[in-house]
């Protein structure tokens, strides 16, 4: 059942993104930033975490989940270390995802050959 929940929630988030691309003049970059900021806002208000608990990866994998992860890491480190957590929290909580993205991009750059269109 968790797979269906994840598929439904992740798919719904992707549908919203696709609708924004198709029916607005927003660029994909702005939509991606909007999703991350939305995740930060919803995570900060405590609204997104119940969705993560219910849908699992369907809510954590999209960019909204990345924004939520930044907020959760900041909250955790803020409790432990005080004001320093505002700076170190987002980096600590998102380090694994950022590292995977950087390594994947590096491998792709070495393996593929860029071409002119």
């Amino acid at each position: 059942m968790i797979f269906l929940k994840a598929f439904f929630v992740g798919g719904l988030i992707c549908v919203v993104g696709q609708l924004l691309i198709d029916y607005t003049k927003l660029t994909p970059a702005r939509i991606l930033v909007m999703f991350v900021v939305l995740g930060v806002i919803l995570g900060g208000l405590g609204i997104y975490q119940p969705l993560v608990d219910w849908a699992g990866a369907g809510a954590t994998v999209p960019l909204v989940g990345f924004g939520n992860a930044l907020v959760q890491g900041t909250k955790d480190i803020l409790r432990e270390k005080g004001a320093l957590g505002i700076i170190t929290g987002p980096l600590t909580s998102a380090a694994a995802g950022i590292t995977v993205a950087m390594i994947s991009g590096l491998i792709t750059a070495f393996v593929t050959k860029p071409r002119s269109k």
Side-chain angles (χ1 to χ4, degrees):
M1 189 64 171
I2 188 68
F3 296 118
L4 290 175
K5 292 177 187 178
F7 181 77
F8 176 75
V9 171
L12 189 63
I13 293 170
C14 291
V15 165
V16 169
Q18 190 63 49
L19 289 173
L20 288 171
I21 289 171
D22 290 344
Y23 296 110
T24 67
K25 293 188 179 200
L26 293 171
T27 63
R30 288 183 181 198
I31 294 169
L32 296 177
V33 170
M34 186 175 65
F35 275 7
V36 173
V37 171
L38 182 65
V40 169
I41 292 168
L42 293 176
L45 295 173
I47 297 170
Y48 200 73
Q49 193 57 44
L51 184 64
V52 169
D53 295 339
W54 185 75
T60 58
V61 172
L63 283 173
V64 184
F66 179 71
N68 181 54
L70 294 175
V71 169
Q72 296 307 319
T74 303
K75 284 180 177 178
D76 293 343
I77 302 254
L78 194 59
R79 280 187 222 110
E80 292 175 15
K81 297 185 178 180
L84 185 62
I86 295 170
I87 297 169
T88 60
L91 297 174
T92 304
S93 67
I98 293 170
T99 303
V100 168
M102 290 173 54
I103 291 172
S104 299
L106 184 65
I107 291 170
T108 302
F110 284 135
V111 173
T112 60
K113 185 176 180 181
R115 304 180 257 172
S116 298
K117 289 186 177 185

